Amino acid sequence: MFSHLLKSALRNILKKKSFSLINIVGLSVGLTVFFLLFLYVKYEYSYDDFLPNSANVYRIELEQFQDNDSQFDKATSTYAIGPLLKEQFPAVEEYARAGFEKCLVFRNEVKYNDQELFWVDSTFLNVIEVEMLQGNRTEALQAPYSVVLSEDLAHVYFGNEDPMGQIIFINEQLPFTVKGVFKTLPTNSHFNFKLLLSLSTGNVLWPGWGTNNRSWGGHEWLYTYLRLSPGTDTELLSKQIEQLVAEQLPEQMKGANIEQHYNLRNIRDIHLQSNLQNEFKVNGSATNVRILMLIGLLIIVIAWINFINIASSEAFDKAREVGVRKVNGANKRDIIAQFMVEVFILNCISALLTMGLVFIALPFFQSVINLPLYRFFLDKSEFIGILLLMSLLGTLFSGLYPALILSSFQIQKVLKGKVLVGNERFSFKKILVVFQLTVTIGLIIAVLIIFKQLNFIQTKELGFKKELVMVINAPSSMNMSPDKLMKYRTFKDRLTKNGQIVDVASTAWSVGQECLGEWTINSIDGKEINHLTLKINQIDESYLNVYGLKLLAGKVFDYQERDFANQVLINATAVRQMGYAKPEDAVGRIVRDGNNNSNTVIGVIADFHQESLRQRIRPMVFAYQHPANFGQYAVLMKSEQLGSVVQYIETQWNSTYTNAPFDYHFLDEQLNHLYTPDQRFGKLLFAFTILAILIACLGLLSLVMILSRKNIKQVGIRKVNGAQTGQIMLLLNLDLLKWFAFSMFIAGPVAGWLMKNWLAGFAYQTNMSWWIFALAGVLTLCIVLLTVSWQSWRAATRNPVEALRYE
């Protein structure tokens, strides 16, 4: 029985080669897109899942209020909170604090200036259970001057030597002994530390700064992680933490009306759910991932809909065959079984073709989005299992409705030629076509809005100069050296003698970086105010010139005056927050900071975007100070002979800082990096929108082919009676035009609402102009007409004699 069904199905597939090919191509492309997006979504949701206890590890995040106004909401927390929670709550099995830095790490002649590391409690490896290759995770970080490093970094510094017990140096030749090696972290982690230094070292170097610190500060750089008991009610624990903090917060902070709220976030949720201050890196977006997941499903549904429409439209051709089979004793179940076997074979052929397409497309797809998806590729059994599942789902979804139509034909009507398939009054096929067109229009609208926003990001006036600005990491080997400022002055003088270099500035944080420090204003001209929190940056006299910032009022720092103690610049946002209408009103004001120091505002800088356009411009204060720890040197260059200028800068650097690597980047590259996830999202959406349109067009083409064949006699009669080619084409395409109009009516509001929510993730965003929706409609209409007009023209120009001799 089954062999008969199989032979019959294969005969029908080969008989309708063109429609079978359209179905196979559509299903294969749809499945390929689905699998590629499935891999991407799997990667995005896999962050930190490689840690064996990740389900029970949480990061503590701090939101601080003063006078009921939010001062900040950070991924970092305080020194005190971890030890306090461990002491008070049995559900907290362990805590670990980690201070993040990028440092110079060297051994002999191997030097790297930007190594990402943590200063950590000895308990860190018991909370963040990375795989240890050498050393004991419990004891490795207990002693001062201990370091645990990644496998890759151990190979960089020690080659084939055993690193255990060896010495490496941090920054100013601080010697650390290697006590362990861990497996290098994969890219799907919210942190990318390469070294772990014992925080107990701080107890020796800077008493009170290391593991003994129990202060309610440190939120500029310190992260805290908890390992909770399995099954802990985190909502209840959060409420208990809030009550405990309200009791334990120092009286000095309570007197200043400061409140601290500590929130728990599972580390697996950080990448897609967290967008706080002091994040390690630019996180992903759960919204973007969900949109791409939805697109993957919609594309495969479009491919299935193509099959439904083609099969139901061809049902008239199969009607006589079904009638004959019923006369010969076939029942409804037999008819359904025969058709479903045919559909299953088509789906299996498409699945086999998909396997090849996925392996061909994956390297290109991976290079476009710049993510190592190979590591997260499914094993063969899982891949085949999902393909088989999708084939079964496709068979049921795309085959059941046409099968029910075929099996419902009445023998008498079929044999008399009175069966009418696809009655115009029946709207299910129309609904499916409208759905396809709606998805197509919606995707085009989404692509246009996303690229408009990305162009807005690229072209928006940011308030500073980003071209031809080189940013060099300051020499970490001289962080605390009293000669650091003198060396910088020598370096700057040497550079400015070159006619291709305009100026050089030193800053604690470059434009494009988040300023981690805060500065509080408690009073203005002796009058108490609600505490105003500003971001603080340390700069020198060339800062405005290098970055092209505009001075609105007052004056800038002047190196010749030399004395800028207790003098500051502020930005225009800070002026408004202070309650002044004009920048001139803030100049000369005496402000008292949180340490009770009086400072004079000597100038106001025009607002500029220190961070990405996802963040609103924050109130900022600028102090004249050479960065004692780390920092950046910014060099403004002219456009001629850029390569030789960079070489000149490197030569001067090496002669000035003999022990520090020359580590630099250009500002425009750094700013582009802030939008990497959005650019990746735009590329993916554009590519898969094109494929969705291709699949939808295949379905429309097949529908017109069937429609023109069904109406071949009507076309012949109209032509004999004088109808023109254009009139015939309009007749054949009129339904599609009606369906398109209805789809446009649905797609516009839905896509507009979805993209409005997407744009809400940006503090500064483009507008959704009316022309975007009009252009999406015009593009879709053009695509539809180009797809179907050729086939319609063929039908309209056919010799009417052939049409009237049909059958």
Side-chain angles (χ1 to χ4, degrees), residues 434 437-438 441-442 445 738-750 770 772-778 780:
V434 167
L437 291 173
T438 300
I441 296 169
I445 290 172
K738 292 177 183 177
W739 297 340
F740 164 77
F742 193 63
S743 301
M744 188 68 197
F745 179 77
I746 299 172
V750 173
W770 65 268
I772 291 177
F773 298 87
L775 179 60
V778 170
T780 306

Side-chain angles (χ1 to χ4, degrees), residues 432-633:
L432 296 180
V433 175
V434 167
F435 176 81
Q436 284 184 310
L437 291 173
T438 300
V439 171
T440 301
I441 296 169
L443 288 175
I444 293 175
I445 290 172
V447 167
L448 291 174
I449 291 175
I450 288 170
F451 278 93
K452 190 169 185 281
Q453 175 65 16
L454 292 176
N455 181 66
F456 174 79
I457 290 170
Q458 296 291 331
T459 59
K460 186 181 186 303
E461 178 57 51
L462 300 176
F464 60 87
K465 179 181 176 60
K466 63 179 180 179
E467 293 81 14
L468 300 174
V469 177
M470 173 192 282
V471 180
I472 311 171
N473 287 328
S476 301
S477 59
M478 299 188 70
N479 270 346
M480 307 305 293
S481 171
D483 296 331
K484 186 174 183 180
L485 178 57
M486 181 187 69
K487 286 277 191 179
Y488 165 73
R489 284 293 167 186
T490 301
F491 176 64
K492 179 175 181 177
D493 290 342
R494 289 175 175 176
L495 294 193
T496 51
K497 289 178 181 178
N498 187 310
Q500 297 300 316
I501 295 175
V502 179
D503 206 348
V504 182
S506 69
T507 67
W509 286 281
S510 166
V511 171
Q513 294 180 322
E514 181 182 358
C515 296
L516 301 183
E518 276 100 17
W519 197 75
T520 304
I521 297 177
N522 295 329
S523 71
I524 302 174
D525 288 343
K527 181 181 178 181
E528 297 290 330
I529 65 167
N530 287 335
H531 304 275
L532 172 61
T533 301
L534 302 87
K535 287 289 185 178
I536 184 170
N537 199 358
Q538 289 83 39
I539 64 173
D540 67 8
E541 73 282 354
S542 297
Y543 178 74
L544 273 71
N545 188 36
V546 169
Y547 287 109
L549 304 176
K550 183 180 179 182
L551 183 69
L552 298 178
K555 64 177 183 178
V556 297
F557 302 119
D558 187 347
Y559 179 63
Q560 301 303 322
E561 294 184 17
R562 301 298 179 97
D563 184 13
F564 287 101
N566 305 114
Q567 292 186 353
V568 295
L569 301 170
I570 59 175
N571 68 349
T573 296
V575 172
R576 292 191 292 273
Q577 298 260 344
M578 291 166 64
Y580 297 114
K582 297 185 296 184
E584 295 83 1
D585 296 338
V587 176
R589 302 293 178 178
I590 307 298
V591 296
R592 192 174 74 245
D593 63 27
N595 295 321
N596 212 30
N597 298 317
S598 293
N599 302 270
T600 302
V601 177
I602 65 169
V604 177
I605 301 174
D607 281 338
F608 63 95
H609 292 274
Q610 174 72 32
E611 302 173 62
S612 79
L613 294 179
R614 287 190 175 274
Q615 309 297 333
R616 292 207 168 271
I617 295 176
R618 309 180 198 272
M620 293 189 67
V621 61
F622 304 88
Y624 185 80
Q625 181 182 344
H626 189 71
N629 295 305
F630 307 105
Q632 279 79 35
Y633 300 156

Side-chain angles (χ1 to χ4, degrees), residues 29-39 296-297 300 386 390:
V29 174
L31 283 170
T32 301
V33 170
F34 174 82
F35 267 100
L36 292 176
L37 285 176
F38 178 82
L39 284 176
L297 292 173
I300 191 64
I386 293 178
M390 294 302 294

Side-chain angles (χ1 to χ4, degrees), residues 18 35 50 83 109 156 301 332 358 361 380 412 519 553 672 688:
S18 58
F35 267 100
F50 61 89
E109 298 304 315
V156 167
V301 168
K332 191 172 184 178
V358 168
K380 290 182 180 179
Q412 296 87 347
W519 197 75
N672 285 335
F688 293 124

Side-chain angles (χ1 to χ4, degrees), residues 197-484:
L197 307 179
S198 55
L199 188 60
S200 60
T201 307
N203 299 335
V204 179
L205 288 174
W206 309 284
W209 173 83
T211 55
N212 297 329
N213 195 330
R214 295 291 189 274
S215 73
W216 291 83
H219 50 75
E220 294 86 2
W221 81 306
L222 191 76
Y223 300 81
T224 304
Y225 295 89
L226 302 179
R227 189 185 74 225
L228 303 182
S229 302
T232 298
D233 186 339
T234 54
E235 290 188 10
L236 176 61
L237 180 60
S238 296
K239 293 178 181 177
Q240 293 172 336
I241 291 173
E242 188 165 341
Q243 182 179 355
L244 177 66
V245 170
E247 297 171 356
Q248 296 289 332
L249 203 65
E251 291 300 324
Q252 182 182 0
M253 298 180 74
K254 292 180 182 178
N257 295 322
I258 291 176
E259 297 178 16
Q260 289 189 343
H261 297 276
Y262 292 88
N263 305 307
L264 298 176
R265 191 187 303 272
N266 186 265
I267 59 171
R268 297 175 301 178
D269 298 330
I270 290 174
H271 174 64
L272 291 180
Q273 303 292 341
S274 182
N275 186 28
L276 305 177
Q277 297 178 42
N278 295 11
E279 296 283 1
F280 290 114
K281 55 186 178 182
V282 180
N283 282 332
S285 167
T287 300
N288 290 359
V289 173
R290 292 191 191 105
I291 289 173
L292 290 172
M293 192 188 311
L294 177 63
I295 289 172
L297 292 173
L298 288 175
I299 287 176
I300 191 64
V301 168
I302 287 174
W304 288 339
I305 287 175
N306 282 350
F307 195 101
I308 293 173
N309 284 335
I310 294 172
S312 59
S313 297
E314 281 192 293
F316 180 77
D317 293 340
K318 293 178 178 286
R320 291 184 182 277
E321 177 189 342
V322 171
V324 171
R325 290 199 65 201
K326 283 193 171 184
V327 167
N328 287 298
N331 57 30
K332 191 172 184 178
R333 187 179 61 184
D334 296 330
I335 303 299
I336 292 175
Q338 178 183 347
F339 185 77
M340 294 300 284
V341 168
E342 182 179 331
V343 176
F344 181 69
I345 291 173
L346 285 172
N347 275 271
C348 288
I349 294 172
S350 301
L352 291 172
L353 186 57
T354 298
M355 294 179 68
L357 290 176
V358 168
F359 283 102
I360 292 171
L362 186 57
F364 175 73
F365 180 64
Q366 184 174 248
S367 66
V368 169
I369 63 176
N370 196 28
L371 291 175
L373 297 184
Y374 269 121
R375 293 186 183 181
F376 306 93
F377 195 72
L378 310 171
D379 58 50
K380 290 182 180 179
S381 59
E382 190 177 7
F383 183 37
I384 294 173
I386 293 178
L387 265 179
L388 182 60
L389 176 63
M390 294 302 294
S391 297
L392 290 173
L393 288 175
T395 301
L396 291 173
F397 185 88
S398 59
L400 195 57
Y401 170 67
L404 291 174
I405 289 178
L406 288 171
S407 63
S408 65
F409 290 157
Q410 298 178 16
I411 299 175
Q412 296 87 347
K413 290 184 178 181
V414 168
L415 296 180
K416 291 179 180 180
K418 294 182 179 180
V419 64
L420 293 176
V421 180
N423 192 315
E424 292 301 320
R425 294 181 180 179
F426 188 71
S427 60
F428 185 66
K429 185 169 68 175
K430 297 179 183 178
I431 292 173
L432 296 180
V433 175
V434 167
F435 176 81
Q436 284 184 310
L437 291 173
T438 300
V439 171
T440 301
I441 296 169
L443 288 175
I444 293 175
I445 290 172
V447 167
L448 291 174
I449 291 175
I450 288 170
F451 278 93
K452 190 169 185 281
Q453 175 65 16
L454 292 176
N455 181 66
F456 174 79
I457 290 170
Q458 296 291 331
T459 59
K460 186 181 186 303
E461 178 57 51
L462 300 176
F464 60 87
K465 179 181 176 60
K466 63 179 180 179
E467 293 81 14
L468 300 174
V469 177
M470 173 192 282
V471 180
I472 311 171
N473 287 328
S476 301
S477 59
M478 299 188 70
N479 270 346
M480 307 305 293
S481 171
D483 296 331
K484 186 174 183 180

